[in-house]
Amino acid sequence: MDKLINDFSFGLFFWQILLFVGLLLLLRKFAWKPILEAVNNREEGIKNALESAEAAKKEMQNLQADNERILNEARAERDGMLKEARQLKENMIADAKSEAQTEADKIVAQAQATIESEKKAAIADLKSQVAGLSVEIAEKVVRKELADKDKQLELVESMLGDVTLN
Amino acid sequence: MQKISVVRIFMTLALILTSLNLAAKDTENKEKGGQVNTPEEMKAYRDHHLLDSHDFTLWSDGEKGTHVGFPLPVILWDNGLKVFSSSKFHHGETVAEVDGNYYKLYHSKIYKTDAEGTINYDEAHHATNAKPLDFSITKNVVSMLFIAIIMFFMFRGLAKSYKKNNGIPTGLGRFLEPLVVFVRDEIAIPNIGKKHHGKYMSFLLTTFFFIWLLNLLGMTPLAPNVTGNISVTFGLALLTFLITNLTANKNYWGHIFWMPGVPTFMKIVLAPIELLGVFIKPFSLMIRLYANMTAGHVVIMSIIGMMFLFKNWIGSPLSFGLAFALSILELLVAALQAYIFTMLSALYFGSANEEAHH
């Protein structure tokens, strides 16, 4: 301790404090502040870059998931549409078929009705012709029969006998 | 082309050294004895080396009595400012006469004497002559100035290189920046905390590099023992002490004078102990750095001295090997002591800023 006190030099202490504090103030202004600022800025920059890269990655993943989802949706939609179309096609075919069937049935029925009515008309025509012919034949027969007076009277008598007065 | 410039540098160096020699010519003086080769002489030489000195001696030749180096300005306050060259002392051998006053250099201290340079001693062989206030630019001051200038340009260069190179250091800055970041991330933030560390960064960084570079400079053959000087470590520790106590918060003082969480009786007992701790902490900083660096210088110089004492083919190489190994160890110690000083300073700043958590 004695040696320490003996070795102590106020002059050296004075210069040391002066030099050190001067150096400290100078370095603070010209070195430490800009250095620490630059280092901090760079570290912030790196941190931000990493963060934004992470965010971009996440966004990318989201986007990919979105794409996947949209693709799936589109696929499902397409499948639905196809299914619908197929259904529609089948329906249409079935409808067409049934429609055609009814139409055909109708046509057939109409044809049958026409045939029937034609038949009826033909029959009626035939009947009337047969009736005319029979009448004509009957006329010719009657005319021959009724050439004498006796026979005419006899006929009138018999006809009158048929007609019953009521 | 490269070779020519190397030769030129050598010639310039040689020229400078010769001119220094010429400048030192007037300080030439005959000394007793030749080489420093006895244990007593070595001890004296070593002890002298550990002290500050008023001139910058590069080497000296005991036989011819020459000292190669340059004198430094002596600044005294003795009823008025006295400024003169240290060459007037002739390395302590003659009395310097300035304005009718006589001064003598004795064991690296300046004493006021009579014209014959008589030094009076007390029983403990301490000089009792009056000592004028000595503000001389000594070897240690020159060393500190040198380191301060180097530091300023090194870190100014680093700061500038950021602007030039888009935020990325170049050249020497690539080596310095990790050290700056080390001080911030390993010393300041863990001990002080992220919130408060900013205001202490300038002090911690300056202290770390100042001590480290001075320690390293002490390992060069020039070997100024700056950080092994009690005045220097006192100055550094005083700054830590002042900064700690001037920036301390209420919680810090609360812990010293009225320790929370203990019985009242203990509070009274603890207060003086804690108050003592306030002074002991920086005091330990001062002694630790001083003792470590001084011890390192003593050990290395002693072992180097042993090389010349043994003077045989076994002892001298052995001493050389030991000196070499210890020099490498001292390189580590140089960085370690700078780290410890800065780290403990940061720890004290941290305690001054601790938030109450009871």
Side-chain angles (χ1 to χ4, degrees):
Chain A
M1 199 66 209
D2 194 32
K3 183 176 161 20
L4 288 187
I5 293 168
N6 196 43
D7 278 354
F8 184 81
S9 151
F10 183 75
L12 184 57
F13 166 72
F14 166 79
W15 286 115
Q16 193 271 334
I17 292 282
L18 197 73
L19 272 171
F20 186 86
V21 173
L23 179 67
L24 195 151
L25 294 177
L26 271 179
L27 280 178
R28 183 166 70 176
K29 184 162 190 300
F30 290 110
W32 304 136
K33 261 191 187 157
I35 289 172
L36 290 173
E37 234 163 65
V39 170
N40 275 342
N41 284 348
R42 202 179 51 210
E43 279 171 359
E44 284 291 302
I46 291 170
K47 215 172 103 190
N48 287 346
L50 281 177
E51 269 168 11
S52 60
E54 193 64 31
K57 204 171 125 195
K58 231 171 233 171
E59 207 165 311
M60 195 71 183
Q61 273 171 350
N62 281 346
L63 224 64
Q64 231 156 12
D66 262 10
N67 278 352
E68 195 74 19
R69 194 174 48 77
I70 289 168
L71 210 67
N72 280 341
E73 268 173 23
R75 211 171 277 144
E77 205 167 324
R78 188 199 62 185
D79 284 354
M81 271 161 85
L82 276 177
K83 210 170 146 192
E84 216 168 294
R86 209 173 284 131
Q87 193 83 38
L88 205 67
K89 184 191 80 180
E90 270 161 25
N91 285 351
M92 266 166 84
I93 291 171
D95 278 1
K97 257 185 190 164
S98 64
E99 211 167 305
Q101 193 64 48
T102 46
E103 197 70 18
D105 287 354
K106 221 160 101 187
I107 292 168
V108 169
Q110 249 170 7
Q112 272 171 347
T114 318
I115 290 168
E116 196 67 29
S117 64
E118 291 290 325
K119 202 172 97 187
K120 272 183 189 159
I123 289 171
D125 197 33
L126 209 61
K127 266 185 185 165
S128 68
Q129 278 188 13
V130 168
L133 276 175
S134 347
V135 170
E136 247 173 76
I137 294 165
E139 209 181 60
K140 276 172 187 169
V141 170
V142 168
R143 213 161 268 157
K144 229 165 188 176
E145 289 270 311
L146 295 177
D148 59 290
K149 229 173 168 170
D150 293 344
K151 279 199 182 157
Q152 279 181 6
L153 278 170
E154 201 179 319
L155 191 61
V156 172
E157 266 321 310
S158 78
M159 275 187 179
L160 281 171
D162 284 350
V163 181
T164 52
L165 293 168
N166 44 358
Chain B
M1 203 64 210
Q2 194 73 37
K3 254 182 198 161
I4 291 170
S5 62
V6 171
V7 168
R8 193 169 292 161
I9 289 167
F10 260 99
M11 282 177 72
T12 321
L13 267 176
L15 210 68
I16 290 169
L17 289 177
T18 338
S19 62
L20 284 176
N21 204 351
L22 286 175
K25 272 268 158 65
D26 65 326
T27 67
E28 267 181 33
N29 222 305
K30 284 267 179 274
E31 265 183 358
K32 285 162 271 152
Q35 262 185 309
V36 182
N37 52 9
T38 64
E40 291 74 37
E41 274 178 336
M42 275 176 193
K43 186 177 181 306
Y45 188 85
R46 197 187 62 208
D47 287 350
H48 176 76
H49 158 79
L50 290 176
L51 296 174
D52 200 0
S53 133
H54 283 80
D55 56 75
F56 210 112
T57 307
L58 297 173
W59 66 81
S60 58
D61 187 335
E63 207 160 341
K64 286 190 228 149
T66 50
H67 294 268
V68 177
F70 42 92
L72 296 167
V74 174
I75 303 163
L76 295 180
W77 182 263
D78 186 22
N79 295 323
L81 202 62
K82 311 264 193 301
V83 180
F84 54 97
S85 164
S86 73
S87 60
K88 275 197 171 181
F89 288 123
H90 296 98
H91 301 278
E93 281 140 19
T94 59
V95 178
E97 194 251 304
V98 184
D99 304 337
N101 291 317
Y102 297 95
Y103 302 103
K104 190 167 166 56
L105 198 59
Y106 177 72
H107 282 293
S108 298
K109 295 244 180 235
I110 294 171
Y111 295 95
K112 207 170 171 182
T113 61
D114 52 17
E116 282 78 42
T118 342
I119 300 269
N120 305 310
Y121 303 102
D122 59 9
E123 303 87 54
H125 202 72
H126 286 141
T128 51
N129 292 43
K131 279 194 277 183
L133 261 180
D134 183 1
F135 288 105
S136 304
I137 307 296
T138 59
K139 189 180 180 184
N140 284 354
V141 177
V142 171
S143 303
M144 285 192 289
L145 193 65
F146 174 66
I147 289 296
I149 290 168
I150 281 191
M151 267 178 78
F152 180 76
F153 282 106
M154 265 185 353
F155 290 106
R156 181 81 192 116
L158 174 59
K160 270 185 178 164
S161 76
Y162 285 113
K163 269 179 220 141
K164 261 185 273 169
N165 199 26
N166 222 353
I168 296 159
T170 51
L172 185 64
R174 294 208 177 159
F175 170 70
L176 294 175
E177 198 208 78
L179 294 171
V180 173
V181 174
F182 170 80
V183 172
R184 190 194 61 178
D185 290 351
E186 305 297 326
I187 295 177
I189 292 177
N191 290 310
I192 305 172
K194 205 152 183 67
K195 196 173 147 201
H196 296 290
H197 82 281
K199 60 184 168 189
Y200 300 110
M201 278 311 289
S202 297
F203 178 76
L204 293 174
L205 283 164
T206 316
T207 311
F208 180 77
F209 289 104
F210 191 70
I211 295 176
W212 187 38
L213 291 174
L214 278 172
N215 288 350
L216 287 180
L217 186 68
M219 293 193 61
T220 61
L222 294 175
N225 185 25
V226 185
T227 39
N229 190 301
I230 198 73
S231 320
V232 174
T233 59
F234 175 73
L236 289 168
L238 180 72
L239 288 174
T240 299
F241 170 78
L242 288 177
I243 294 172
T244 308
N245 292 297
L246 292 180
T247 60
N249 59 15
K250 223 172 91 186
N251 184 43
Y252 170 82
W253 295 114
H255 269 255
I256 287 167
F257 292 114
W258 208 241
M259 179 71 84
V262 294
T264 315
F265 172 69
M266 283 307 287
K267 284 182 197 219
I268 294 163
V269 173
L270 279 174
I273 298 173
E274 287 287 331
L275 191 62
L276 207 59
V278 171
F279 296 98
I280 287 173
K281 281 173 184 172
F283 187 78
S284 74
L285 278 183
M286 168 180 90
I287 296 295
R288 185 180 299 107
L289 184 59
Y290 162 79
N292 271 290
M293 295 329 289
T294 302
H297 277 251
V298 168
V299 169
I300 285 193
M301 287 194 85
S302 301
I303 291 171
I304 290 173
M306 270 159 66
M307 273 191 258
F308 300 97
L309 277 185
F310 279 127
K311 279 186 185 156
N312 62 46
W313 287 107
I314 305 165
S316 297
L318 216 70
S319 301
F320 175 79
L322 202 59
F324 182 69
L326 272 166
S327 296
I328 289 173
L329 186 71
E330 280 297 305
L331 269 180
L332 175 73
V333 171
L336 195 67
Q337 287 305 320
Y339 170 70
I340 290 174
F341 193 100
T342 319
M343 218 273 293
L344 289 174
S345 295
L347 195 69
Y348 302 153
F349 299 156
S351 73
N353 275 293
E354 218 172 341
E355 303 292 337
H357 46 67
H358 298 286

